[in-house]
Every structure is written in C-alpha cells, then in structure tokens.
C-alpha cells in the first residue's frame, strides 16, 4: 500500500524555519532530509521529517499528518518541485538540483519502539488546510480592524472595547 519509504542519505537542516509567501505559511520543520527511491538511485528529493514522542491517538495522528502535509508545501516553496515518477519520486534534475518531495516522513517514538509513516499527498486534505488557513486570516483581519475601530472610539461614546490578544501575544 502506497509508495515505498525513501532511503535517507543525509540531513539538509534541522529545526528549519521556513516561510512561504506563496502559501502564506510559516513553520518549523524538525528536519529536512535528502532521500532516494530504494528501486532507483538516480532521483533524490528533500523530505519533511517530523519526529513525535508520546502517545499516538487517532486525533493526534490526524493533526500530525496535517502538519507534515503543510511542511511538504513549505519545502516545495523553498526547493521547488518536479514531476513524480510512478512511485512518487522525482527523476534526477539535469542541473543536479535536488527538489522537494511531495510527501513526508512522520516518525513516532514511544519507549524503545519507533514507527515510521509515509505521509502521502492528499490534495483534498491540503486544499481544506489552505482554506482553513485563509478563513483564520480573514477572521484575524476582521478582529484587528474591529479592535482599531474600538480604540479610536471616544470615551464619551461608550469607552474603548478591548479584544483579547492573539494566542502567544501578551495582552495589555
């Protein structure tokens, strides 16, 4: 079922902060690794490699899968992408450049055991994630405008409405 796991040849970076203006996303990929198809050593790609510890549940697995799918988009923005062969691996770029894979590697570690999952691209899932991101952005913009309008309202007209800050920001 699915494509074979890549053979990992090396590390491109760890805890990479990647920002994509194309998708309006930013993330911190645990590791970016270079891998190749086990049946064809001519093609090499960069994969998102995400490491998770702790208890694995259906709920967390769904969130982790979504995270890896978004990381693949970020890597594709950074490294570019090529057409995929029948097993999902890119053919070697004539210029010797390594392109981003369309799938990622998710590893769960619990105690002395590790389970590796190849996260295949599911375009309906990626589309839903980008739509959710766009909705959050619109909501954030609307709340910011409402806060600015409330700040400009004179105290005699009912005072100033203060909205709570965004998560991760200190409120006044």
């Amino acid at each position: 079922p699915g494509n074979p796991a890549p053979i990992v040849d090396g590390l491109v970076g760890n805890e990479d902060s990647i920002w994509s203006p194309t998708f309006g996303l930013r993330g911190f990929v645990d590791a970016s690794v270079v891998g190749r198809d086990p049946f064809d050593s001519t093609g090499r790609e960069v994969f998102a490699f995400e490491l998770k510890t702790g208890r694995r549940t259906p709920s967390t697995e769904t969130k982790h899968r979504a995270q890896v799918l978004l990381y693949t988009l970020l890597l594709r923005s950074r490294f570019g992408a090529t057409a995929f062969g029948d097993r999902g691996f890119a053919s070697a770029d004539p210029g010797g450049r390594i392109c981003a894979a369309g799938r990622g590697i998710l590893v769960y570690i619990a105690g002395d055991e590790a389970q590796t999952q190849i996260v295949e691209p599911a375009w309906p899932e990626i589309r839903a994630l980008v739509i959710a991101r766009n909705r959050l952005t619109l909501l954030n913009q609307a709340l910011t405008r409402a806060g600015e309008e409330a700040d400009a309202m004179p105290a005699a007209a009912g005072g100033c409405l203060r909205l709570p800050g965004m998560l991760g920001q200190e409120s006044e």
Side-chain angles (χ1 to χ4, degrees), residues 51-54 107-116:
L51 186 63
K52 297 296 182 186
T53 58
V107 178
Y108 288 96
I109 295 180
D112 292 340
E113 293 185 25
Q115 293 179 336
T116 302

Side-chain angles (χ1 to χ4, degrees), residues 44-119:
R44 293 176 8 131
E45 299 175 294
V46 178
F47 292 84
F49 182 93
E50 189 66 18
L51 186 63
K52 297 296 182 186
T53 58
R55 195 165 158 223
R56 180 179 176 184
T57 67
S59 172
T60 59
E61 191 169 343
T62 299
K63 292 174 189 173
H64 297 158
R65 178 182 167 73
Q67 184 180 8
V68 172
L69 287 173
L70 291 173
Y71 288 162
T72 63
L73 289 180
L74 290 172
L75 289 176
R76 289 168 78 90
S77 286
R78 176 180 275 182
F79 293 101
T82 61
F84 294 101
D86 58 352
R87 286 192 297 275
F89 288 83
S91 55
D93 182 57
R97 188 172 61 102
I98 297 174
C99 297
R103 56 199 182 117
I105 304 168
L106 178 58
V107 178
Y108 288 96
I109 295 180
D112 292 340
E113 293 185 25
Q115 293 179 336
T116 302
Q117 179 182 349
I118 303 302
V119 179

Side-chain angles (χ1 to χ4, degrees), residues 123-142:
W123 298 113
E125 285 178 316
I126 292 173
R127 181 177 182 275
L129 290 169
V130 172
I131 288 171
R133 176 252 175 241
N134 291 343
R135 287 183 179 154
L136 284 172
T137 300
L138 289 173
L139 178 62
N140 184 43
Q141 289 171 348

